[in-house]
Amino acid sequence: MLEFPGGVVAVVSLVLAGLWIWRAFSQKSYDPPTPPGSFGLPFLGETLHLLYSMKANSLSEFFESRERRYGPVFKTHLFGRPTVVLSPPLGFKFLFSNHGKLVESSWPAPMKMIMGDKSLFFMEGQRAKSFRHILMAFLGPEAMRRYVARTSSIAQAHIEKFWLDGSEVRAYFLVKKALFSVVFNLFLSIQNEEEERELLVPFEEFLHGLLELPINFPGTKFRQAKLATGKIFGKLDKFINKRKVELQEGKASAEQDLLSVLLTTRGEDGELMSEEEVKQNILMMVLAGHDTTASTLAVSMKCIAENPWCYDRLRQEHLAVAAAKDSSEPLRLEDLQKMNYTWKVVQEAMRLVPPALGNTRIAITHMTIEGFTVPKDWRFMWSVFQSNRRSAFFPEPDKFDPERFNGSSGLIPYTYVPFGGGPRICPGNELAKMLLRVFLHHLLTQFQWSLLDPNEHIQMAPLAAPANGLHIKLSKNPI
């Protein structure tokens, strides 16, 4: 008789038991029924298909194919949870307007396992409101006034050093480097390239593991991301200890940077953030303030290069801004407010190539939607890839047309939501707007550029990025 080792028998037994549980779970009945759809493979669901669609730049098809088959409300299984997908605009409106009533934020489990659970991403209720109050002391529109000149000076110095006439560069990587310099300065007052490099490598490893399957084995991206987070927190511990001393001795101000703001600003509950909360929220802000902005900036540059007429119109806008200033004077908030067409171009770039997938919510109560049951603790997903390329919302959706955003074009509400919506709209949207306009100003007033690989595609990994780094040739075009 053939015999098997006890370990093999145990593994097979667990797999069979898991399959039985999955089958029972998948076939559980409700009245009314849950939305139509498929839970996909046992355990994995449709997670691998979603991840593949991100890397293959086919996310719109991932959602549209299921909507064609199942309708505007369908179920799937992603990152370990049954998930209901609601189509815009009514689906987006439902999720944004019912936050805190029927739904709450719910990020993929790997993100919480890597980042920790004390950032604003993972908070709800009064605690989230209190933390948002603290962050807005740094991120609000008026707070931006303090940081525009610093950002302008850093961007200008970076371009003068690394963007050379006639050179061929991978623009995406230069953009990331420039924005890291800005973010590290605004967040931690870092002005030393060596300190920047020490944080840059672990931040990249952290980012690349955020949406991987949570397999904590040596060599996996998930494991590398967890180790990278530990390195980042170790370095932030040193910054925090040093800053506390500087604040006590009057060598640093409470408004100097994000670190000072987080250490000195009390929330609406009168409490200061703990050191662990400070570290996790700085990590969150680097993710929200740097990587999505770098993605949007690179895609905007690609769209501008593909449409020379757009470059000409942008340049006129920025030459007018520059002409009203002394050549050595950094930008001010009032200058950014004159860059209306620039912001239209960025909005259209984000529509064509969104920097991020979207987000999820979790049902905090059993509910019925459109005649279907959604059990408590099921997830909802909303994604900008469900709306941004639909002709019903955006005529000629594949056409680059910044005039869609001229203010009188009548965009349908809840169809264009690059920063989310409702009470959990991205708190860093004003920071992103500032960074994008400042950098584009310095680039447009000094250079024109052409694509060396016109067919280079954009992939989500996990944020949108040019597959080969946006290979361009620079041509000096100074004021």
Side-chain angles (χ1 to χ4, degrees), residues 298-337:
V299 171
S300 298
M301 290 179 63
K302 188 174 190 295
C303 291
I304 293 167
E306 290 171 337
N307 299 277
W309 55 267
C310 178
Y311 172 86
D312 294 337
R313 182 166 174 182
L314 280 170
R315 184 166 164 83
Q316 291 305 311
E317 179 171 87
H318 287 273
L319 288 178
V321 171
K325 304 174 65 65
D326 185 273
S327 60
S328 62
E329 183 185 0
L331 290 169
R332 306 290 177 186
L333 185 63
E334 291 74 16
D335 299 316
L336 271 56
Q337 293 167 348

Side-chain angles (χ1 to χ4, degrees), residues 210-437:
L210 274 183
L211 288 181
E212 296 294 326
L213 293 173
I215 302 172
N216 195 18
F217 291 155
T220 64
K221 289 185 178 180
F222 178 82
R223 175 65 170 268
Q224 291 171 351
K226 283 184 66 69
L227 294 174
T229 302
K231 294 177 185 177
I232 294 168
F233 286 169
K235 294 184 183 299
L236 290 180
D237 281 329
K238 296 178 181 178
F239 281 105
I240 289 171
N241 293 334
K242 180 182 178 183
R243 181 59 54 82
K244 284 184 172 181
V245 173
E246 292 172 340
L247 288 166
Q248 290 173 354
E249 296 177 349
K251 297 178 180 178
S253 72
E255 297 180 343
Q256 177 172 313
D257 53 22
L258 178 62
L259 178 59
S260 281
V261 169
L262 297 186
L263 288 173
T264 61
T265 306
R266 296 184 182 275
E268 290 187 345
D269 58 2
E271 298 293 325
L272 291 171
M273 283 187 175
S274 68
E275 290 189 10
E276 194 65 27
E277 290 165 340
V278 168
K279 290 187 293 184
Q280 291 190 23
N281 279 280
I282 288 177
L283 185 66
M284 176 197 75
M285 283 305 304
V286 173
L287 172 62
H290 172 271
D291 291 286
T292 53
T293 307
S295 169
T296 299
L297 186 50
V299 171
S300 298
M301 290 179 63
K302 188 174 190 295
C303 291
I304 293 167
E306 290 171 337
N307 299 277
W309 55 267
C310 178
Y311 172 86
D312 294 337
R313 182 166 174 182
L314 280 170
R315 184 166 164 83
Q316 291 305 311
E317 179 171 87
H318 287 273
L319 288 178
V321 171
K325 304 174 65 65
D326 185 273
S327 60
S328 62
E329 183 185 0
L331 290 169
R332 306 290 177 186
L333 185 63
E334 291 74 16
D335 299 316
L336 271 56
Q337 293 167 348
K338 300 174 184 177
M339 301 177 188
N340 296 322
Y341 187 69
T342 303
W343 184 237
K344 293 179 189 177
V345 170
V346 172
Q347 286 180 290
E348 178 70 340
M350 286 193 291
R351 183 192 69 82
L352 286 169
V353 186
L357 170 64
N359 209 327
T360 56
R361 300 287 189 267
I362 191 169
I364 57 178
T365 184
H366 189 93
M367 67 186 81
T368 301
I369 298 175
E370 298 293 317
F372 300 111
T373 291
V374 178
K376 182 177 181 293
D377 293 331
W378 278 34
R379 276 203 184 109
F380 290 98
M381 170 172 274
W382 65 268
S383 173
V384 289
F385 287 89
Q386 296 174 255
S387 62
N388 285 10
R389 291 291 187 109
R390 290 198 180 180
S391 58
F393 306 147
F394 301 98
E396 297 183 88
D398 296 327
K399 179 182 178 182
F400 177 74
D401 180 14
E403 292 302 331
R404 299 178 197 275
F405 299 95
N406 64 14
S408 59
S409 57
L411 291 181
I412 300 172
Y414 299 102
T415 59
Y416 183 74
V417 289
F419 298 106
R424 296 306 293 264
I425 191 170
C426 175
N429 64 78
E430 292 296 333
L431 175 65
K433 291 177 184 178
M434 185 268 284
L435 295 174
L436 290 160
R437 286 177 290 180

